[in-house]
Amino acid sequence: MKIKLEFPKNFLWGSATASYQVEGGIYNNDWAQAADTTGKVPHAGESTDHYNRYKADFDLAKSLGHNAHRISIEWSRIEPEEGKFNLAEIEHYKKVIRALKARGLTPLVTLWHFTSPIWFNDKGGFYQKDAPKIFARYCAFVVSALRNEIADDVFVATMNEPIVWSQNAWFSGNWPPFKKTVWAFLRVVKNLMRSHNAAYDEIKKATPQVNVGLVKNNMHFTADWKPWNKIAAWFMRWFWNHRFLKATYKKCDHIGLNYYFHTHFYKPFGMPLGTPKNDMGWNLDPAGLYYVLMELRQYNKPVYVTEAGLADRNDTYRTEYIRGLVQSSHRAIVDGLDLRGFMYWSLLDNFEWAHGYDQEFGLVHVNRKTQERIVRPSALVYKTICESNTLTLE
Ligand code: BGC
């Protein structure tokens, strides 16, 4: 028997990208600088050349049944020197947003996705006292410059995954500026909270009608029966999933959720999850998305899944994983969550931060030598879901 899970009318279906990961030709941000000067991380270089190929890429997204698409704006292009804004780059992003709308793709625009201008980093990045003020000025400038493009039907997020970024850049030292200090990490997290809140206020002063939120990575934390593992799961649920949101949700018109992980505490002894793993070695548990979504009910805001996906070069698990994620999303809606959209990460294989181009998350494979786009079979299964606004269970 076939069961059809229908989604609400006007549900947004699409995929997500981020500026430094797809655009190419970005040389003026902290990541590019760290790649050039330290060699500790790779450089994105030409990437997928999306900066020049965005129209064709959006044609592709439309042909895959999407009705929405998430992009980010590269701060280092807009404000290459402190306080000096590059209007030619604003024009570029205007064209990008118009190109999305012309294809019937509702834009979700993130203003900061992990990369900052070199001058901002040189001054201390998000560690410095003035970070909220500087960040809010940038955000308000962009939104007000794009006001005609994003007036009432575009979703703006101030920032992407503040805790993931702080953890990698200031705690485990994997990403620039490669710091490993707990106190600095905690201060950066605080400053990011303040930065979001300040940006929200500044944006709303200039353009009150714009729908502003933030994008948060939350995980499904579980534990076996051992009390210390239960405490670890409880602590991480608070620290990772809720602390940032509790400090910012009042200044969010919506919440964007990124889901990748089910983290199960079982050591010492006990059993790991036993789910299949993706190419990054991450557990694949699409059912976990349901629990993470339901934790957001307490904030009483419209929610969008702004990223969920997997690295899977051979497309072995992608179809089933996407179907599982979509099923979890539907279950959350049935159970009362105001969920309004789902963006797969990512449209294209792209620059996966410290992993460079080795990890392939795309619905569409990108040939690194020719830039040819090759649609993966799973993208066509997702297309059927998007176009019918329905998931059919066999
Ligand atoms: C980030 C993306 C990244 C993806 C896969 C998310 O944490 O927002 O930039 O590519 O995960 O690792």
Side-chain angles (χ1 to χ4, degrees):
M1 197 181 70
K2 285 188 180 171
I3 300 171
K4 284 183 187 277
L5 304 180
E6 265 182 52
F7 281 75
K9 216 172 137 236
N10 300 327
F11 195 81
L12 297 183
W13 293 106
S15 60
T17 61
S19 58
Y20 191 63
Q21 293 181 268
V22 293
E23 284 185 0
I26 298 173
Y27 298 101
N28 202 13
N29 72 17
D30 52 347
W31 191 283
Q33 185 195 37
D36 289 341
T37 57
T38 69
K40 287 189 194 169
V41 286
H43 196 298
E46 189 196 4
S47 190
T48 69
D49 193 30
H50 180 71
Y51 188 82
N52 298 307
R53 297 169 191 254
Y54 64 90
K55 286 188 183 154
D57 289 339
F58 297 161
D59 284 341
L60 198 53
K62 186 179 161 59
S63 77
L64 292 175
H66 302 187
N67 64 14
H69 185 71
R70 177 171 173 236
I71 58 163
S72 83
I73 294 201
E74 176 64 27
W75 185 0
S76 67
R77 289 194 193 274
I78 304 289
E79 195 178 357
E81 287 174 60
E82 183 167 10
K84 295 204 176 130
F85 296 96
N86 184 336
L87 296 179
E89 294 293 359
I90 288 287
E91 283 310 307
H92 170 77
Y93 286 111
K94 278 189 185 170
K95 286 190 210 145
V96 169
I97 293 172
R98 286 186 202 136
L100 285 171
K101 290 187 170 183
R103 288 159 181 78
L105 299 165
T106 296
L108 289 86
V109 178
T110 300
L111 299 174
W112 178 82
H113 194 123
F114 296 166
T115 51
S116 306
I118 291 174
W119 61 262
F120 178 71
N121 217 35
D122 285 349
K123 294 176 71 172
F126 281 101
Y127 184 79
Q128 66 190 294
K129 197 167 100 268
D130 285 345
K133 208 168 82 195
I134 298 171
F135 181 71
R137 180 185 61 190
Y138 154 70
C139 291
F141 175 83
V142 174
V143 174
S144 125
L146 298 177
R147 60 150 53 85
N148 292 335
E149 276 66 35
I150 61 184
D152 30 55
D153 52 351
V154 173
F155 300 89
V156 173
T158 56
M159 57 179 66
N160 179 71
E161 298 191 347
I163 311 270
V164 168
W165 178 80
S166 312
Q167 190 256 317
N168 277 295
W170 290 85
F171 183 73
S172 48
N174 299 329
W175 295 354
F178 310 109
K179 304 284 192 222
K180 292 186 183 182
T181 330
V182 175
W183 299 117
F185 161 66
L186 292 174
R187 175 175 156 145
V188 165
V189 171
K190 263 255 145 68
N191 257 348
L192 281 160
M193 293 169 180
R194 293 191 181 117
S195 297
H196 167 80
N197 289 340
Y200 182 90
D201 287 343
E202 287 302 308
I203 292 172
K204 288 284 172 170
K205 257 191 236 163
T207 37
Q209 70 279 27
V210 175
N211 192 316
V212 184
L214 63 80
V215 169
K216 186 68 190 49
N217 170 302
N218 282 3
M219 301 187 195
H220 182 38
F221 293 106
T222 55
D224 64 5
W225 56 271
K226 294 178 214 83
W228 52 91
N229 286 335
K230 287 206 184 306
I231 290 170
W234 168 85
F235 173 80
M236 287 306 288
R237 206 171 293 126
W238 169 73
F239 180 77
W240 191 275
N241 290 359
H242 293 296
R243 186 166 166 260
F244 201 96
L245 280 173
K246 286 201 192 291
T248 51
Y249 79 97
K250 290 192 181 129
K251 293 188 189 290
C252 282
D253 303 325
H254 68 272
I255 294 172
L257 170 77
N258 292 358
Y259 171 77
Y260 290 94
F261 296 100
H262 177 172
T263 300
H264 183 60
F265 292 91
Y266 64 91
K267 285 178 186 162
F269 325 116
M271 290 281 284
L273 277 175
T275 62
K277 292 189 180 0
N278 73 11
D279 294 348
M280 302 272 273
W282 301 349
N283 283 314
L284 289 175
D285 179 27
L289 173 61
Y290 166 78
Y291 301 99
V292 172
L293 281 171
M294 292 310 281
E295 282 181 18
L296 296 178
R297 265 187 81 177
Q298 60 184 287
Y299 300 105
N300 212 6
K301 304 277 175 181
V303 174
Y304 295 81
V305 174
T306 34
E307 283 180 36
L310 75 170
D312 184 15
R313 172 172 291 131
N314 298 326
D315 217 28
T316 312
Y317 299 113
R318 194 173 277 104
T319 295
E320 275 319 300
Y321 190 63
I322 291 178
R323 286 173 53 83
L325 292 168
V326 169
Q327 191 175 350
S328 291
S329 303
H330 190 269
R331 188 173 165 208
I333 295 172
V334 169
D335 288 351
L337 184 77
D338 184 6
L339 180 65
R340 301 192 183 177
F342 180 92
M343 304 297 123
Y344 175 80
W345 180 271
S346 176
L347 177 64
L348 305 169
D349 288 346
N350 62 44
F351 180 72
E352 179 53 28
W353 305 113
H355 301 274
Y357 291 101
D358 289 348
Q359 299 296 334
E360 302 189 351
F361 281 79
L363 291 171
V364 177
H365 172 65
V366 178
N367 180 311
R368 296 254 20 96
K369 291 201 187 86
T370 61
Q371 293 289 5
E372 192 192 347
R373 274 55 171 161
I374 301 156
V375 172
R376 289 195 161 97
S378 54
L380 301 176
V381 176
Y382 184 49
K383 174 181 165 139
T384 313
I385 297 172
C386 301
E387 284 180 347
S388 60
N389 204 29
T390 302
L391 174 71
T392 306
L393 302 178
E394 301 289 332

